[in-house]
Every structure is written in structure tokens, then in C-alpha cells.
Amino acid sequence: MHFTLPRKPGTATLMLLLTAMTKPSLLLLAFFSLLVVPPSLAADPDMLQDICVADPGSGVKLNGFACKPAENVTEADFFFKGLATPGATNNTMGSLVTAANVEKIPGLNTLGVSMSRIDYALGGLNPPHTHPRATEIVFVLDGTLDVGFITTANKLIAKTITKGEIFVFPRGLVHFQKNNGAVPAAVIAAFNSQLPGTQSIAATLFTATPSVPDDVLAKAFQIGTNEVEEIKSRLAPKK
């Protein structure tokens, strides 16, 4: 028996097919469903037009940014030179992330990609953090880094990478990079989201506004409330 399947079969169509299909046909349908579903799992929604340059000043609230009027779009909306220059790493962590996302390049709106440059001083650390909306892949420009991520089974996947090499951090998993080499290091990172988002674990927990209650953090980390306050004071943004 042969069936002509619509491009995206609805529930009613699938129910009719299920009642008529043999077991081999059901296996084929299951395989077909695997081909149909993955696009819905993309980090960002698929675009519906050639371009949709972000217009943050529009005042329109939606998942992403409203589109700038086409007549106002220019080449500047698709250009950014901020990754060409090493970032200043004279800070507490000894690292600096320079983002090239939709907030810097409005033309990235709806395209589902972005990049960053990360520079590391000697001993510099990009502390444990997550990107809730994207997988990250890094390419080492210079130096050597110890990198790793932690799975939900609490397994550390780690490796030392050097110039010209690549490492991947799966979406949403806690990960880090540390320069234990003898020279400064730098990477270019790519993301499958126009705005991947970043949550630094320590800063998220200890510098949130309003504050996470001291007793919550004390019990979670098995430390005293005085130690919690000390950590909060150390991580507080400099004024």
C-alpha cells in the first residue's frame, strides 16, 4: 500500500495512516518523523525572510527583536570589527570576553549565529558558566588552554588544547577555560544562537539581585553564613 504524505502531516492525517499501516510501514513513519522533528529543536527559530535587522528601539516586545524597516538597512548592520583587537585582561579573572552577537551586529537577528573573542592573561580563567540558548565551539588563536565541561551525570570532560585546535561545549552544560600555559592565549568562539546568553555560576549565585538568601547558599555549599557574605563581597561588582 502506498501513501502520499503531506510535507508536515497533521495529527488527523497521522492517525488515519496509523490505522491503515502495517508494522513495516509504522517503522517507516517513525523514521520519517525523525526527519521532520529536528528543525524544531534548533537553538533559534528559523528565519521567514531574507533579513530582519534588529531594531531594539522599536519598543516592540517579542522573542528576538523587531525588524528595522528595509529602507533603513545598511551595510553597517552586518559589520563589526571588535574581534580584531585583543581584550584587556587586567581584571580579577584575567580574561575578557568580547561578544559579537545581535546586540553588536543587528543584522544577526533571526540568523541563529554569533561569535565571541576571549582573551586570557597568564593564569587567566573564564570561570564556570553556561550558555542556556546555544552550543559553543572554540578555535584557539594563540596559546594553550585547559578546557572542560560537566555533564548532567556529573562527569568532567576535559582536555588541553593549543593553537589551531577546536573544542565543543554542549548547550546548557557548565564549562570553563583556564590558561595554564606560558604565554597569553586567545580563542574565537562560535554559537548557534544570535544571543546565547551567559550565566557565570559563582556570580549568578552570589551577586543576584535581590540576593539569594545566605542560608540557602550556606546549606548548598556546606559553609557558614559568614563565609557566604565574604564570597558575596569579593564577587560584588566594583563601583
Side-chain angles (χ1 to χ4, degrees):
M1 186 177 294
H2 298 280
F3 297 92
T4 301
L5 293 176
R7 187 176 181 185
K8 290 187 177 180
T11 302
T13 304
L14 290 177
M15 290 301 296
L16 288 173
L17 291 173
L18 287 172
T19 58
M21 282 184 169
T22 62
K23 186 173 290 186
S25 298
L26 287 174
L27 292 175
L28 288 174
L29 179 61
F31 177 75
F32 174 78
S33 68
L34 292 176
L35 299 179
V36 173
V37 172
S40 66
L41 303 178
D44 288 352
D46 287 338
M47 58 193 296
L48 301 176
Q49 60 279 310
D50 287 344
I51 59 174
C52 175
V53 174
D55 188 10
S58 68
V60 177
K61 298 292 185 182
L62 46 81
N63 187 24
F65 296 94
C67 302
K68 178 188 290 189
E71 61 272 17
N72 296 337
V73 172
T74 71
E75 68 279 0
D77 293 315
F78 299 88
F79 176 77
F80 180 66
K81 63 180 181 180
L83 304 191
T85 306
T89 56
N90 56 336
N91 54 54
T92 304
M93 292 296 167
S95 69
L96 186 73
V97 178
T98 304
N101 55 40
V102 69
E103 294 177 337
K104 302 287 183 63
I105 310 172
L108 288 178
N109 195 37
T110 76
L111 298 185
V113 295
S114 61
M115 300 178 75
S116 289
R117 174 179 177 137
I118 312 170
D119 291 281
Y120 314 80
L122 298 181
L125 170 71
N126 189 12
H129 62 282
T130 70
H131 301 295
R133 296 185 289 274
T135 291
E136 176 182 4
I137 182 169
V138 297
F139 173 82
V140 183
L141 293 174
D142 291 297
T144 299
L145 294 167
D146 292 333
V147 303
F149 64 86
I150 304 165
T151 71
T152 55
N154 219 30
K155 180 178 180 179
L156 173 64
I157 308 292
K159 186 171 179 60
T160 299
I161 57 175
T162 191
K163 184 174 181 177
E165 296 180 340
I166 284 173
F167 197 80
V168 177
F169 303 104
R171 175 180 176 178
L173 296 185
V174 176
H175 60 282
F176 61 88
Q177 304 105 34
K178 175 77 160 56
N179 181 8
N180 286 324
V183 297
V187 303
I188 291 292
F191 306 90
N192 63 331
S193 172
Q194 66 180 34
L195 195 60
T198 300
Q199 283 193 301
S200 181
I201 305 304
T204 296
L205 290 172
F206 289 92
T207 68
T209 303
S211 297
V212 177
D214 286 0
D215 62 327
V216 171
L217 295 173
K219 189 163 187 175
F221 289 94
Q222 294 296 289
I223 58 178
T225 54
N226 289 340
E227 293 169 288
V228 170
E229 286 299 321
E230 175 66 18
I231 295 172
K232 285 184 175 181
S233 67
R234 288 173 177 266
L235 294 177
K238 300 295 186 292
K239 297 180 179 179

